[in-house]
Amino acid sequence: MILNKNKILMGLLALVAVGVSACGGGSGSADSSTNNTDQGASQGDSQQDSSPPADDNPPTGDTPPADTPPTGDSPPADNPPPNTAPPVEESINHQPTARITAAQQLTSGETVTLDGSSSTDPDGDTLNFLWSQTLGEPISLAGVSNPTLSFIAPTVDQPTTFAFKLEINDGALANSATIEILVSPMADTTAPSVVSRTPQSNETGVAITTNVTITFDEALLASLINNQSLQISLNTNTLSGSVTYDSNTHRITLTPDTTLTTATTYTVTLADTLQDLAGNLVTGESWSFTTGSQYNLGQTSQGTIDLCMNTSNKVMLSLVNNARAVARACGTTNYPATSSLAWHCHLEQAAQGHSTSMADNDFFSHTGLDDSSPGDRITAAGYNWRTYGENIAAGYADEEAAMNAWLNSPGHCANLMNPSFTEMGEAVAVNPASQYRIYWTQNFADSL
C-alpha cells in the first residue's frame, strides 16, 4: 500500500492462519523542498649717548663735561630700556623611539612575551602602543594595545620564523620597530600511540563496505601521509584505496575502491614511516578482520552496524536484500531485481516503537493508538523522508517465517521490492499475554 503526502490511500491486508496474522503497506512519498576592519625678543626703541667733541677741549657754555652723565629722562645707552619683555623659547616636539625586547628562539608550546615598555619619548609624553603580526601563520593575539604582548608559541613541524611589529605614537609623532621569533618543534621523545581502530583486530562479521580507520593520541606530520601509509590486503595482494588524514582527530582513514568479499579475512598494515610533529616515528603494525559470512547488509556502514544493529536486525536485512536481488512477481505485478538496502537507526527506532505499542496494547494495525501513521512515526524518529513504506506481521516465530508471509502477500511483497526505497529498519516485540504474542514491523524509506 502506498501513502502519498498529497493523497492518502490506506488499505489493510491481513493474513490469518492458525492464529497468525500479517499486514503490510502504508507507503508514501513527498516532493522535496529547499528551505541560506634665536628668535630675538623686541628691545623697543633705543637711545644713543651724546658723543663728546673730537678735540681735547671740553665744550663751553651749558654743555656738561664729556664724562658727566647726560641729564634728563634718557637712561645711559648701556642700560636696557624699561618695560622690555624677556626672550621666549619656541616649543619643539621630539619623535618617540620604539624598542622591543624578547627571547627570539623558542619551542612550540612555550609562552612568548614581546616587551615594548622600553620604548621612550624625549618629551615624556604618554605613548600609545599597537602590536601586529607581519610574518608566519596567523596567531590569535590579545591585548595588542598594551606595552607587552604575550601568546603561546604555535605548534610547528619544523623551525619557523614569525615576525611582529610594534607601532608607537605620542599623539602627533610615531615610530615603529619589528622583531623576528624562531619557533622550533617541541622537544618530544614519545612516539604516537594508537587509541582506537576499526575494524578491531580479529573482528568478525565486518561489513563488506567498511572503511579502515586508526586514531592516534597526538598530531602526525601530514606531509608524510599517503596511500601507502595504511593499506588493506588479501593474501599478498594489496587492494587499491584512498587514504585521508583528519588533523583535528588525528585519524587516518582508508576507503577501499571496491566492496570487500563476504566471509573473507583481510590484513591491514600501518606503515612505520609516519611520525609526529617532533619527529618521533610511529610503530608499524598489522592486524586482521573477517567480513560477515551469513549476512548481506548492503551498503550499511560499520558505524551503523556497531551503533544499532543486533543479530535479528542483521538476519532480517540479509533476508530482504537477498529477496531484492531476485526478480519476482508480487501478485500480478512483476518486479525486476533491484539494489540492496542499507540499515538506518532512525527507521529501526520507529519500527521498534510501533511493534512495542502493538504488543503492549494487544492490537494490530498500521494506525497507532495515537492515530499516528507510519509516516508520522518515521518523522518523529528523526528521519526526513521522501517516500516510505511499512510492513507489519504478528504471530510469526522468527525472521524467516515473517519474510515468507510478506513475500507471499502482494502488498507486502511490493514494499520489499520497491526500487524507490534505499534504507530500512526493523524491530520485533513480544508480549505473551497478547493475542499474537510476537509483533514485527518493517519500515522502508528514502531520505530527502
Side-chain angles (χ1 to χ4, degrees):
M1 285 152 269
I2 303 299
L3 173 68
N4 293 313
K5 281 188 172 180
N6 296 323
K7 183 177 180 181
I8 299 177
L9 176 61
M10 287 294 295
L12 180 65
L13 175 64
L15 300 178
V16 181
V18 191
V20 177
S21 178
C23 186
S27 301
S29 64
D31 294 332
S32 63
S33 60
T34 304
N35 296 16
N36 207 11
T37 190
D38 269 321
Q39 172 176 304
S42 174
Q43 300 299 318
D45 295 331
S46 64
Q47 284 186 313
Q48 295 182 349
D49 295 337
S50 299
S51 299
D55 56 33
D56 295 330
N57 297 320
T60 60
D62 296 331
T63 303
D67 57 354
T68 302
T71 61
D73 295 332
S74 300
D78 57 352
N79 291 330
N83 302 321
T84 300
V88 177
E89 183 180 356
E90 181 181 3
S91 177
I92 299 177
N93 185 26
H94 297 85
Q95 185 180 39
T97 301
R99 296 186 182 91
I100 305 173
T101 59
Q104 293 181 257
Q105 293 188 3
L106 300 103
T107 301
S108 295
E110 288 189 287
T111 299
V112 181
T113 299
L114 307 180
D115 189 353
S117 61
S118 61
S119 300
T120 59
D121 185 271
D123 308 312
D125 295 333
T126 299
L127 294 176
N128 301 307
F129 295 81
L130 180 62
W131 296 93
S132 61
Q133 182 182 354
T134 60
L135 180 66
E137 289 294 321
I139 299 172
S140 178
L141 303 177
V144 294
S145 61
N146 295 331
T148 60
L149 178 68
S150 294
F151 55 90
I152 301 301
T155 299
V156 295
D157 53 23
Q158 59 187 357
T160 304
T161 298
F162 297 84
F164 303 88
K165 181 179 182 180
L166 171 62
E167 297 176 87
I168 64 171
N169 69 78
D170 62 2
L173 299 178
N175 198 291
S176 64
T178 59
I179 191 169
E180 291 187 351
I181 304 296
L182 180 64
V183 178
S184 300
M186 65 180 66
D188 177 12
T189 59
T190 304
S193 297
V194 175
V195 295
S196 67
R197 74 189 79 205
T198 59
Q200 298 292 326
S201 179
N202 298 320
E203 184 175 351
T204 60
V206 175
I208 59 175
T209 57
T210 189
N211 288 338
V212 178
T213 69
I214 185 165
T215 304
F216 294 87
D217 62 349
E218 62 175 307
L220 302 181
L221 187 57
S223 61
L224 296 180
I225 300 174
N226 52 44
N227 286 351
Q228 284 71 52
S229 299
L230 190 63
Q231 294 183 319
I232 183 172
S233 59
L234 177 59
N235 298 323
T236 59
N237 299 318
T238 300
L239 279 64
S240 62
S242 58
V243 172
T244 58
Y245 175 62
D246 187 332
S247 59
N248 293 319
T249 60
H250 317 319
R251 178 180 296 124
I252 300 177
T253 300
L254 164 62
T255 303
D257 289 340
T258 59
T259 57
L260 306 181
T261 303
T262 58
T264 303
T265 298
Y266 292 89
T267 300
V268 180
T269 302
L270 173 68
D272 59 4
T273 56
L274 304 181
Q275 58 183 266
D276 62 15
L277 302 185
N280 299 300
L281 289 172
V282 168
T283 302
E285 60 176 295
S286 296
W287 73 95
S288 299
F289 67 87
T290 303
T291 54
S293 55
Q294 71 272 43
Y295 304 127
N296 180 1
L297 306 184
Q299 300 299 309
T300 306
S301 70
Q302 188 64 46
T304 297
I305 294 171
D306 295 340
L307 180 63
C308 65
M309 292 192 77
N310 57 30
T311 300
S312 176
N313 300 150
K314 294 176 182 178
V315 169
M316 183 64 81
L317 180 57
S318 297
L319 291 171
V320 171
N321 284 337
N322 291 341
R324 288 170 66 89
V326 179
R328 68 184 64 251
C330 297
T332 59
T333 304
N334 293 320
Y335 287 86
T338 188
S339 59
S340 60
L341 302 180
W343 196 261
H344 198 287
C345 297
H346 288 164
L347 294 176
E348 178 193 357
Q349 181 182 344
Q352 187 65 71
H354 193 52
S355 289
T356 300
S357 180
M358 289 191 295
D360 290 350
N361 296 283
D362 198 9
F363 77 98
F364 183 67
S365 173
H366 287 293
T367 302
L369 291 181
D370 56 358
D371 291 326
S372 62
S373 68
D376 295 332
R377 295 188 291 270
I378 292 172
T379 298
Y383 190 97
N384 192 17
W385 53 270
R386 183 193 309 275
T387 182
Y388 72 81
E390 180 179 85
N391 284 346
I392 59 175
Y396 296 96
D398 54 35
E399 295 82 7
E400 288 83 355
M403 271 294 295
N404 287 334
W406 283 325
L407 287 172
N408 288 321
S409 170
H412 303 83
C413 179
N415 274 346
L416 289 165
M417 297 300 295
N418 191 331
S420 297
F421 299 147
T422 59
E423 297 174 309
M424 75 165 288
E426 168 269 340
V428 61
V430 176
N431 180 7
S434 65
Q435 180 181 359
Y436 295 114
R437 185 179 177 276
I438 185 168
Y439 296 79
W440 303 85
T441 302
Q442 288 179 328
N443 282 331
F444 308 94
D446 181 47
S447 64
L448 287 173

